Amino acid sequence: MSKEEKAKEIIKRLSKVYPHPKTALNFSNPLELLVATILSAQATDKVVNLVTPALFKRYKTASDYARASVEEIDEMVKRINFHYNKSKSIKAATEMIIEKFGGKVPNNMKDLDSLPGVARKTANVILGNAFHIAEGIVVDTHVMRLSKKLGLTDQTDPVKIELDLMKIVPKDKWIDFSHLLINFGREYCPARAHKCVNCPLGELCPD
């Protein structure tokens, strides 16, 4: 079985388990997803989702964040790892959105990647989930670990892993693919030692 065939079979099987895959982060517009994604770096989606309702209620526009002090934002997100640096990034990113992008979160990789606190992974999350644009594949820790475990790549660098996956995963599945692997990793195949009971991927896994 080629890597392309394996990737398609993985998608086919996991799509039966997760027919409507989506990000675990709660949001209702691109700005909310931008903020949530910045906060989610090295933090769990669960903790982010506990913090963001009050944050989104207070700050509804990029201008709201830009007018607030870093300390005001930080007070609302202090439960999250590296909260002060993330608060600075949120304020700086929203200031740039106002100055350069007319107050709206940009919908392309180049402009998103230029925002403070945003790198390629974050940009892919926003493009795929807020704008339904498949410009790449989100490579988080689950996708890195499982792509290697399943024999889809032998790379260790996230950018190189993404390039390998983009060659073998059909483009119309780029957005879903990372959600499928993330859900699978959380429910069936965590990084810690575990028993492979009722695994939907079965013989597709070399282990």
Side-chain angles (χ1 to χ4, degrees):
M1 180 182 285
S2 69
K3 288 182 179 179
E4 291 91 339
E5 290 169 333
K6 181 181 264 194
K8 287 179 181 178
E9 185 61 24
I10 289 168
I11 293 166
K12 180 181 174 183
R13 293 192 191 185
L14 292 184
S15 293
K16 291 179 181 177
V17 183
Y18 310 106
H20 306 292
K22 62 186 181 72
T23 179
L25 293 171
N26 295 330
F27 71 99
S28 61
N29 58 57
L31 178 63
E32 290 184 356
L33 183 58
L34 168 67
V35 171
T37 309
I38 290 174
L39 292 173
S40 72
Q42 295 177 283
T44 66
D45 293 343
K46 186 176 181 180
V47 173
V48 174
N49 286 338
L50 290 173
V51 165
T52 50
L55 192 70
F56 295 162
K57 189 174 181 180
R58 178 178 291 188
Y59 306 114
K60 298 187 184 302
T61 67
S63 296
D64 291 339
Y65 287 101
R67 281 195 296 264
S69 67
V70 173
E71 288 71 24
E72 287 171 329
I73 297 170
D74 188 55
E75 181 62 28
M76 301 195 72
V77 302
K78 61 185 179 182
R79 294 174 62 181
I80 293 175
N81 293 341
F82 311 108
H83 52 87
Y84 192 75
N85 283 337
K86 292 175 180 180
S87 298
K88 288 197 293 185
S89 292
I90 289 168
K91 180 173 171 64
T94 50
E95 286 173 343
M96 185 181 287
I97 286 169
I98 292 164
E99 291 165 12
K100 289 192 172 182
F101 306 117
K104 294 189 181 299
V105 175
N107 64 352
N108 64 83
M109 177 63 72
K110 180 174 176 290
D111 291 340
L112 280 170
D113 199 26
S114 73
L115 296 174
V118 176
R120 184 174 175 89
K121 186 189 91 169
T122 308
N124 272 328
V125 171
I126 296 163
L127 287 172
N129 294 280
F131 297 109
H132 310 292
I133 295 172
E135 195 159 328
I137 295 174
V138 174
V139 177
D140 77 338
T141 52
H142 286 291
V143 176
M144 284 180 65
R145 176 174 61 84
L146 293 170
S147 295
K148 291 166 66 178
K149 182 182 178 75
L150 293 166
L152 301 179
T153 181
D154 55 9
Q155 298 291 340
T156 55
D157 176 74
V159 175
K160 291 179 179 177
I161 290 172
E162 182 184 4
L163 290 173
D164 279 354
L165 293 176
M166 287 165 70
K167 292 173 189 169
I168 61 175
V169 175
K171 188 170 183 179
D172 65 341
K173 298 296 183 184
W174 283 4
I175 296 170
D176 286 350
F177 183 74
S178 57
H179 295 319
L180 292 170
L181 279 195
I182 290 166
N183 288 336
F184 171 70
R186 286 174 174 159
E187 189 171 346
Y188 287 94
C189 195
R192 65 183 180 276
H194 62 280
K195 294 180 179 178
C196 299
V197 180
N198 300 322
C199 176
L201 297 187
E203 81 288 355
L204 294 177
C205 180
D207 288 357

